[in-house]
Amino acid sequence: MLGLNKKDTTLMIVVACLALFAPFILNPFPEGSAMAQFNAGYPDLMQRFVIFGIFAIGFNILFGLTGYLSFGHAAFLGIGSYSVVWMYKLLDYNVIWGLPLAIITSGLFALVIGYVSLRRSGIYFSILTLAFAQMSFNLAYSVLTPITNGETGLQVYTNDPQVLLGANEATSPHLFGIVMNNSAKLNVGPWEFTFNNGYYFCAIILMVVFYLAIRIFRSPFGMMLRAIKSNQTRLNYTGLNPRPYALAAFVISGMYAGLAGGLMAAMDPLAGAERMQWTASGEVVLMTILGGTGTLIGPVLGAGFIKYFENIFSKINDSILHNWFAFLPDGLEDFVVFLIHPFIGKGWHLTLGILFMLVVIFLPGGLVEGGQRIKRAISRKKDTDTDSASTEPAE
């Protein structure tokens, strides 16, 4: 299907099902129940799962295939956001104008930054990308205030030109009249499911860019990138220059990041310099490693895992814990809450850090390796049961 082999087609179908049925999958617990705290099927969080999934897929094309570790990809995320908001200010709120500009602008910036940074490799490359990202952050925060609006952030005002804005046109991001923040709710017994226009718009784009990532991974270009990661010195001995290939991967990765930043502005018409900070670059590195570096679906899983912890575990507080353990005697209840308190709320980073260490130590291939081990264990058990059945004496 679409030039994919059977395995990749199955993977594409799995991603499509996860994206399309996310409102159901992410709301397993009834509203009002004690476990509803762990539901993640509300629009803002689902959009973040998808947008950061796109960001991580693009980063994985660079890091997973070539082995070049960039600490500056948040710069392209911010550039994409600024590009889309400027289109809102100049034209209208239709997201169709801003997203292509976000991809092109971030690609051009990636071409310049990559051309300079790829003159070095290893830790020197990483430091160069980090330096460029921090320079971009500081420029956006202070020097380029007329373009970025500094620390306040770039947003749309009533006196902006918006030359294409019609009399009856929506005054929030939309796609030819389909407003991004509009939602429809479905109540099934005690469950409530939310279907959001913006989420499905992002989900369709995720499926498109995931398909493109598969084609890149399976292409001769992808094989060249793997050769760069495997042994660049041997590749040089063959007479091939690896730098153009690495630069192309860097630009493609930057364009993915720009698209993700543009989608962030498409969901919320605001762009700020904080999206370009080094912490955002570090976050996408964690997403990729946690999910599985060099795998196709790993970065998407890693992005969802980290964003889930950031938005769900950070909201658990002592009062929620007391409600959960109210069945215990008072002294024991307070003791249990005391033990768990450091790992929830503002301490969610501690929980995430422990889980990240466990994954790195026991699952070097990330969450994807964990899934593969479970699959192999199930297959072995089935084979064992089949062999046992075949060796039983006939009565």
Side-chain angles (χ1 to χ4, degrees):
M1 183 182 75
L2 299 175
L4 305 181
N5 59 34
K6 184 178 179 180
K7 181 180 178 181
D8 291 336
T9 300
T10 302
L11 186 61
M12 188 73 204
I13 292 172
V14 168
V15 171
C17 290
L18 290 174
L20 296 176
F21 296 104
F24 298 102
I25 298 170
L26 297 174
N27 267 339
F29 305 109
E31 290 295 320
S33 68
M35 301 301 290
Q37 170 70 33
F38 294 101
N39 285 344
Y42 50 91
D44 181 65
L45 183 52
M46 290 194 298
Q47 290 166 8
R48 286 180 174 273
F49 285 162
V50 172
I51 291 171
F52 279 90
I54 293 171
F55 188 20
I57 290 170
F59 180 79
N60 190 47
I61 292 174
L62 176 67
F63 179 48
L65 289 182
T66 70
Y68 279 93
L69 176 58
S70 169
F71 283 130
H73 262 50
F76 311 125
L77 192 76
I79 289 167
S81 293
Y82 283 121
S83 299
V84 169
V85 177
W86 265 110
M87 286 296 97
Y88 293 157
K89 293 169 73 68
L90 297 175
L91 300 180
D92 65 1
Y93 280 103
N94 196 330
V95 298
I96 200 67
W97 317 125
L99 292 178
L101 179 64
I103 295 170
I104 294 169
T105 307
S106 57
L108 291 174
F109 271 83
L111 180 63
V112 175
I113 293 173
Y115 182 79
V116 176
S117 301
L118 287 167
R119 292 177 177 274
R120 295 292 180 266
S121 60
I123 189 63
Y124 304 104
F125 167 81
S126 301
I127 295 300
L128 278 173
T129 55
L130 176 61
F132 276 115
Q134 285 303 103
M135 283 191 292
S136 300
F137 167 74
N138 287 308
L139 287 171
Y141 194 79
S142 57
V143 180
L144 298 179
T145 300
I147 299 175
T148 63
N149 207 26
E151 60 181 325
T152 305
L154 189 66
Q155 52 191 309
V156 183
Y157 299 104
T158 54
N159 60 348
D160 287 325
Q162 294 193 291
V163 295
L164 298 181
L165 187 66
N168 299 318
E169 187 175 331
T171 54
S172 63
H174 64 89
L175 178 67
F176 299 112
I178 303 173
V179 180
M180 293 293 107
N181 58 14
N182 281 0
S183 299
K185 294 184 181 295
L186 172 66
N187 292 306
V188 180
W191 282 270
E192 182 179 88
F193 306 105
T194 304
F195 305 91
N196 176 258
N197 292 339
Y199 166 72
Y200 278 105
F201 176 68
C202 294
I204 291 171
I205 292 178
L206 170 68
M207 288 186 281
V208 172
V209 300
F210 186 78
Y211 169 75
L212 293 176
I214 295 176
R215 297 306 300 267
I216 290 172
F217 268 64
R218 306 302 184 220
S219 67
F221 172 69
M223 293 296 293
M224 282 296 300
L225 298 183
R226 287 191 178 88
I228 292 172
K229 181 179 181 179
S230 177
N231 196 316
Q232 193 168 154
T233 304
R234 288 184 180 178
L235 190 62
N236 286 327
Y237 288 155
T238 66
L240 292 172
N241 183 6
R243 279 191 60 196
Y245 296 95
L247 180 59
F250 191 93
V251 171
I252 293 170
S253 183
M255 292 168 76
Y256 268 74
L259 174 61
L263 287 173
M264 292 175 73
M267 301 303 108
D268 181 14
L270 176 68
E274 70 279 353
R275 290 178 183 170
M276 309 176 84
Q277 280 186 303
W278 66 270
T279 50
S281 297
E283 195 172 46
V284 76
V285 175
L286 292 179
M287 290 173 182
T288 306
I289 295 174
L290 188 63
T293 305
T295 64
L296 285 163
I297 199 172
V300 180
L301 297 177
F305 190 88
I306 288 180
K307 285 301 165 184
Y308 182 86
F309 266 84
E310 180 182 331
N311 290 271
I312 300 298
F313 272 71
S314 63
K315 292 180 181 178
I316 300 175
N317 53 36
D318 287 355
S319 62
I320 293 175
L321 292 178
H322 279 292
N323 287 335
W324 288 350
F325 299 105
F327 63 92
L328 296 174
D330 290 342
L332 183 58
E333 175 188 334
D334 292 337
F335 179 70
V336 171
V337 172
F338 173 77
L339 290 178
I340 300 176
H341 172 79
F343 300 94
I344 49 92
K346 293 181 180 180
W348 73 271
H349 288 94
L350 177 59
T351 306
L352 181 63
I354 293 171
L355 289 174
F356 183 76
M357 286 192 299
L358 292 174
V359 168
V360 170
I361 293 170
F362 297 104
L363 297 173
L367 298 175
V368 170
E369 182 181 341
Q372 291 171 344
R373 288 187 184 182
I374 293 172
K375 182 180 178 182
R376 286 196 295 268
I378 294 172
S379 298
R380 283 197 297 268
K381 187 176 185 304
K382 287 182 178 179
D383 293 340
T384 303
D385 293 342
T386 302
D387 293 339
S388 299
S390 62
T391 55
E392 288 180 359
E395 294 182 0

Short mmCIF file of all heavy atoms in Angstrom, two decimals, residues 1-12 214-215 218 296:
data_model
loop_
_atom_site.label_atom_id
_atom_site.label_comp_id
_atom_site.label_asym_id
_atom_site.label_seq_id
_atom_site.Cartn_x
_atom_site.Cartn_y
_atom_site.Cartn_z
N MET A 1 0.84 -1.20 0.00
CA MET A 1 0.00 0.00 0.00
C MET A 1 0.87 1.24 0.00
O MET A 1 1.76 1.39 0.85
CB MET A 1 -0.91 0.03 1.24
CG MET A 1 -1.86 1.21 1.27
SD MET A 1 -2.89 1.26 2.77
CE MET A 1 -1.66 1.84 3.96
N LEU A 2 0.66 2.14 -0.97
CA LEU A 2 1.40 3.41 -1.06
C LEU A 2 2.91 3.20 -1.07
O LEU A 2 3.66 4.00 -0.52
CB LEU A 2 1.01 4.34 0.10
CG LEU A 2 -0.47 4.75 0.18
CD1 LEU A 2 -0.73 5.55 1.44
CD2 LEU A 2 -0.86 5.56 -1.05
N GLY A 3 3.33 2.09 -1.66
CA GLY A 3 4.77 1.83 -1.75
C GLY A 3 5.38 1.26 -0.49
O GLY A 3 6.61 1.19 -0.40
N LEU A 4 4.58 0.83 0.49
CA LEU A 4 5.10 0.29 1.74
C LEU A 4 5.01 -1.22 1.72
O LEU A 4 4.10 -1.80 1.12
CB LEU A 4 4.30 0.83 2.93
CG LEU A 4 4.19 2.35 3.08
CD1 LEU A 4 3.39 2.70 4.32
CD2 LEU A 4 5.57 3.00 3.14
N ASN A 5 5.96 -1.87 2.40
CA ASN A 5 5.88 -3.32 2.53
C ASN A 5 4.84 -3.69 3.59
O ASN A 5 4.23 -2.82 4.22
CB ASN A 5 7.25 -3.92 2.87
CG ASN A 5 7.82 -3.37 4.17
OD1 ASN A 5 7.09 -3.06 5.11
ND2 ASN A 5 9.13 -3.24 4.22
N LYS A 6 4.64 -4.99 3.78
CA LYS A 6 3.57 -5.44 4.67
C LYS A 6 3.79 -4.96 6.10
O LYS A 6 2.84 -4.51 6.77
CB LYS A 6 3.49 -6.97 4.63
CG LYS A 6 2.35 -7.54 5.46
CD LYS A 6 2.30 -9.06 5.35
CE LYS A 6 1.17 -9.62 6.21
NZ LYS A 6 1.11 -11.11 6.12
N LYS A 7 5.02 -5.03 6.58
CA LYS A 7 5.32 -4.62 7.96
C LYS A 7 5.06 -3.13 8.15
O LYS A 7 4.44 -2.73 9.16
CB LYS A 7 6.78 -4.96 8.28
CG LYS A 7 7.20 -4.60 9.69
CD LYS A 7 8.65 -4.96 9.93
CE LYS A 7 9.10 -4.56 11.32
NZ LYS A 7 10.54 -4.87 11.56
N ASP A 8 5.52 -2.30 7.22
CA ASP A 8 5.32 -0.86 7.34
C ASP A 8 3.86 -0.47 7.17
O ASP A 8 3.38 0.48 7.80
CB ASP A 8 6.18 -0.12 6.31
CG ASP A 8 7.67 -0.22 6.62
OD1 ASP A 8 8.00 -0.44 7.80
OD2 ASP A 8 8.49 -0.10 5.69
N THR A 9 3.15 -1.21 6.32
CA THR A 9 1.72 -0.95 6.16
C THR A 9 0.97 -1.22 7.46
O THR A 9 0.11 -0.44 7.87
CB THR A 9 1.13 -1.83 5.03
OG1 THR A 9 1.80 -1.53 3.80
CG2 THR A 9 -0.36 -1.57 4.86
N THR A 10 1.34 -2.31 8.12
CA THR A 10 0.72 -2.64 9.41
C THR A 10 1.01 -1.54 10.43
O THR A 10 0.12 -1.12 11.18
CB THR A 10 1.24 -3.98 9.93
OG1 THR A 10 0.97 -5.00 8.97
CG2 THR A 10 0.60 -4.33 11.26
N LEU A 11 2.27 -1.07 10.44
CA LEU A 11 2.65 -0.01 11.37
C LEU A 11 1.88 1.28 11.08
O LEU A 11 1.42 1.96 12.00
CB LEU A 11 4.16 0.25 11.26
CG LEU A 11 4.77 1.22 12.27
CD1 LEU A 11 4.56 0.74 13.69
CD2 LEU A 11 6.26 1.42 11.99
N MET A 12 1.72 1.59 9.79
CA MET A 12 0.97 2.78 9.40
C MET A 12 -0.49 2.68 9.85
O MET A 12 -1.08 3.66 10.32
CB MET A 12 1.05 2.94 7.88
CG MET A 12 0.49 4.25 7.36
SD MET A 12 1.56 5.65 7.74
CE MET A 12 0.37 6.99 7.71
N ILE A 214 8.60 7.02 7.04
CA ILE A 214 8.80 5.63 6.63
C ILE A 214 9.52 5.56 5.29
O ILE A 214 10.47 4.78 5.11
CB ILE A 214 7.45 4.88 6.55
CG1 ILE A 214 6.81 4.76 7.93
CG2 ILE A 214 7.64 3.48 5.95
CD1 ILE A 214 5.43 4.13 7.91
N ARG A 215 9.06 6.38 4.34
CA ARG A 215 9.68 6.37 3.02
C ARG A 215 11.14 6.81 3.09
O ARG A 215 12.00 6.27 2.38
CB ARG A 215 8.91 7.28 2.07
CG ARG A 215 7.47 6.86 1.79
CD ARG A 215 7.37 5.41 1.29
NE ARG A 215 8.10 5.18 0.07
CZ ARG A 215 7.56 5.26 -1.15
NH1 ARG A 215 6.27 5.54 -1.29
NH2 ARG A 215 8.28 5.02 -2.23
N ARG A 218 13.26 3.89 4.51
CA ARG A 218 13.42 2.75 3.62
C ARG A 218 14.10 3.10 2.29
O ARG A 218 14.32 2.23 1.46
CB ARG A 218 12.05 2.12 3.31
CG ARG A 218 11.23 1.74 4.52
CD ARG A 218 11.95 0.76 5.42
NE ARG A 218 11.11 0.33 6.53
CZ ARG A 218 11.53 0.14 7.76
NH1 ARG A 218 12.80 0.35 8.06
NH2 ARG A 218 10.70 -0.26 8.71
N LEU A 296 10.72 3.76 14.09
CA LEU A 296 9.74 4.63 13.46
C LEU A 296 8.70 5.15 14.44
O LEU A 296 8.45 6.35 14.53
CB LEU A 296 9.05 3.89 12.30
CG LEU A 296 9.91 3.74 11.05
CD1 LEU A 296 9.34 2.67 10.13
CD2 LEU A 296 10.00 5.08 10.31
#
